[in-house]
Amino acid sequence: MTPAEIAPKDRLIVALDLPSVDAAQATINRLGDSVTFYKIGYRLAYAGGLPLVGKLADKGKKVFLDLKLHDIGNTVMQGVESITRLGATFLTVHAYPQTMKGAVEGRGNSSLKILAVTVLTSYNEDDLHAAGYRLGVSELVEARAQQAQVLGIDGLVCSPEEVGNLRKIVGHQMSLVTPGIRPAGSATGDQKRIMTPSRAITAGADYLVVGRPVLEAADPKAVAEAIHAEIAQALG
Ligand SMILES: O=c1ccn([C@@H]2O[C@H](COP(=O)(O)O)[C@@H](O)[C@H]2O)c(=O)[nH]1
């Protein structure tokens, strides 16, 4: 799918970082038709949330399974093969060559799209250095994007700050999915490489991942709708 073909409403992915299936279901009910794409990560997946993938898909919603897999290639390949049967649209793996290669093999010809996490959006240069990396954020993101493209990965998770440069490298063949989205005035939390929804879309992001600014709002539906309005305006 080219960026122009993505429905504006599908560009917002709400992260269901909630403690139980009941809490997730209550949020989904509250958001109603205003949200079409959800992300399920560790918190919900390990609280019994995996069957929600198929349930949401049956209701016409899309699901991004954010499991950030990383293991020896064979284990990743076998795990991804199992995940192809859950009904998710996107699955994340860390952007290490063996991991990405295993994920592409496991995905095979299924409709599951593999996203490689380049550098987590809560990391800055100091955090990378402390973790033992020589390269800075933009160099590491770029190197991993190039490896991901060669290995046949479908898209990248990056901060909106890297989107402009990544587009030049990977063109429109890969989806660019950006967490680290903060509507003006919302708390940053532990995110370090952030942008507002409109700036991220203008920079060229395909999808915006938003968790706490929606989940912790007094009126989550109103916040989701305000983000949709920003996206639509930025798309012109
Ligand atoms: O680099 C990354 C990769 C994944 N995430 C995930 O996105 C959401 C963001 O939630 P907020 O509450 O809007 O900060 C969360 O589920 C992360 O695990 C990321 O933030 N950065």
Side-chain angles (χ1 to χ4, degrees), residues 15 17 39 66 68 120-121 157 179 182 191 209-213:
D17 293 331
K39 183 172 90 68
D66 189 13
K68 298 187 185 73
L120 292 166
T121 53
V157 176
R182 288 294 180 264
Q191 297 285 6
V209 177
V210 186
R212 288 163 287 184

Side-chain angles (χ1 to χ4, degrees), residues 20-74:
S20 66
V21 174
D22 284 351
Q25 195 57 65
T27 296
I28 293 162
N29 294 345
R30 241 179 130 181
L31 291 169
D33 291 340
S34 63
V35 172
T36 56
F37 213 147
Y38 287 103
K39 183 172 90 68
I40 295 180
Y42 300 166
R43 194 180 190 190
L44 186 56
Y46 294 137
L50 281 184
L52 206 52
V53 178
K55 268 185 156 180
L56 283 166
D58 289 346
K59 294 215 156 77
K61 307 283 186 189
K62 294 183 179 190
V63 182
F64 167 4
L65 199 43
D66 189 13
L67 298 183
K68 298 187 185 73
L69 302 184
H70 185 39
D71 208 316
I72 61 170
N74 185 61

